[in-house]
Amino acid sequence: MSNVPVAVVTGSNKGIGLAIVRALCKQFPGDVYLTSRDPGRGQAAVAQLQEEGLQPLFHQLDIDDLQSIRVLRDFLKEKYGGINVLVNNAGIAFKVNDTTPFAIQAEVTMKTNFFGTKNVCTELLPLMKPYGRVVNVSSMVSCSALGRCSQELQQKFRSDAITEDELVQLMNKFVEDTKKSVHEKEGWPNTAYGVSKIGVTVLSRIQARMLNEKRKGDHILLNACCPGWVRTDMAGPKATKSPDEGAETPVYLALLPSNADAPHGQFVSEKTVKTW
Ligand code: NAP
């Protein structure tokens, strides 16, 4: 088994994820895994970074596929005995003008952004080594969407006692409510991406609480963040930040020094903790 520290970034064949891998290759003292659901796209991205003189490693990972997540889990466990840095970056968003029915957009978006991220965490968080760092890439849109939820939903999402099961039920309820076209009546905002990212931010708060309860002495720090508005296939060419700039806050959280005890369980934007 290797004693080399290891970092893993989901959805890193392009966009912000690729830029996070680039920065980690320069700054993280260990092996950095670029992962992609499509091995061809992943290997092409590895080749691109190699041309820049960097040495990322590759592993396939489709966060929608539990089997794929478990293969990566077993590989990391066997080769490294755990994980030092995990960045949950993979995500999707329908374009504003996409004509796919809203209920389908809700189901598909929730599947990857919330359930995929949650499944990666369920399988990989138990492997986090002491002083490990976990970064869940959410969005400021989670904050604006929260503000457009009913008071009752806002209270639930801000609760310090909400459980992962309760959060899962709420995310499923949103999808079911969109199918019945009652989501707005039920207090949800009209944004599938926004609600899926509420799920990612609240999941991060719950996971940080669980780490406090079960692994306090291990000094693991876990946070959600927003990368900013970044020029990628998702956000388009008008966005204000380059992918490398978008990687700055996620990388800052991934590399919090071993003597840091904060931030933890926070939503962080521009390297600053925001009120949820
Ligand atoms: P992007 O350029 O579209 O890249 C998304 C990445 O996620 C791609 O590598 C994509 O792989 C991967 N992905 C999607 N579904 C996946 C799955 N099931 N399994 C594994 N990988 C999957 O988007 P981006 O702008 O870099 O976004 C990265 C993260 O930042 C997302 O979580 C996004 O919500 C968040 N974010 C972005 C912005 C922004 O302004 N860009 C703002 C706030 C938050 P494929 O190439 O195979 O599709």
Side-chain angles (χ1 to χ4, degrees):
M1 195 184 292
S2 168
N3 272 331
V4 174
V6 61
V8 178
V9 184
T10 72
S12 46
N13 53 284
K14 67 178 184 179
I16 298 163
L18 178 62
I20 293 171
V21 170
R22 176 184 290 116
L24 289 178
C25 282
K26 293 175 184 169
Q27 298 174 56
F28 177 74
D31 289 351
V32 182
Y33 277 84
L34 184 155
T35 68
S36 170
R37 55 181 161 183
D38 180 85
R41 286 198 287 276
Q43 295 291 3
V46 166
Q48 184 187 333
L49 292 183
Q50 281 171 343
E51 278 175 26
E52 298 174 23
L54 304 172
Q55 302 293 334
L57 298 165
F58 175 73
H59 203 286
Q60 193 272 347
L61 175 65
D62 181 346
I63 70 164
D64 290 344
D65 177 357
L66 199 48
Q67 182 58 24
S68 165
I69 298 171
R70 288 181 173 158
V71 169
L72 176 65
R73 176 200 64 189
D74 293 346
F75 166 79
L76 292 167
K77 198 171 177 178
E78 198 169 309
K79 178 150 189 204
Y80 298 93
I83 309 172
N84 301 85
V85 167
L86 171 63
V87 183
N88 281 301
N89 164 81
I92 58 162
F94 282 82
K95 300 287 178 215
V96 187
N97 58 1
D98 194 299
T99 55
T100 306
F102 187 66
I104 304 214
Q105 294 198 17
E107 185 157 40
V108 170
T109 307
M110 195 60 76
K111 182 178 174 192
T112 299
N113 293 2
F114 177 70
F115 287 102
T117 301
K118 182 185 82 69
N119 287 341
V120 172
C121 288
T122 302
E123 300 299 329
L124 297 191
L125 287 191
L127 263 64
M128 292 309 297
K129 291 190 175 180
Y131 299 94
R133 305 293 183 241
V134 183
V135 185
N136 294 333
V137 180
S138 183
S139 170
M140 281 303 279
V141 174
S142 69
C143 304
S144 53
L146 177 70
R148 286 188 279 132
C149 286
S150 65
Q151 284 304 321
E152 192 188 337
L153 280 173
Q154 288 191 34
Q155 206 175 7
K156 287 181 179 164
F157 289 133
R158 290 199 174 101
S159 159
D160 288 328
I162 185 172
T163 65
E164 194 171 305
D165 284 349
E166 286 165 347
L167 178 62
V168 164
Q169 279 174 29
L170 283 167
M171 293 295 110
N172 278 326
K173 182 176 187 305
F174 170 70
V175 174
E176 291 310 310
D177 287 348
T178 64
K179 287 181 185 166
K180 293 180 269 178
S181 296
V182 297
H183 61 285
E184 286 180 291
K185 195 172 122 269
E186 291 294 308
W188 298 102
N190 202 30
T191 158
Y193 180 79
V195 175
S196 75
K197 290 297 190 180
I198 289 177
V200 173
T201 303
V202 176
L203 180 68
S204 308
R205 289 160 55 88
I206 296 169
Q207 289 167 338
R209 219 173 64 216
M210 291 300 115
L211 286 169
N212 289 347
E213 285 176 18
K214 297 192 177 135
R215 298 188 60 184
K216 189 69 185 165
D218 284 342
H219 307 279
I220 296 167
L221 298 178
L222 182 153
N223 292 284
C225 72
C226 179
W229 191 31
V230 186
R231 290 186 294 278
T232 63
D233 287 347
M234 181 182 288
K238 289 186 189 150
T240 46
K241 286 187 182 183
S242 70
D244 290 332
E245 289 166 338
E248 282 176 20
T249 290
V251 169
Y252 151 74
L253 293 171
L255 298 178
L256 285 169
S258 58
N259 61 358
D261 56 8
H264 177 55
Q266 303 291 343
F267 178 78
V268 179
S269 171
E270 305 298 339
K271 301 185 189 172
T272 307
V273 170
K274 301 288 166 192
T275 308
W276 176 245

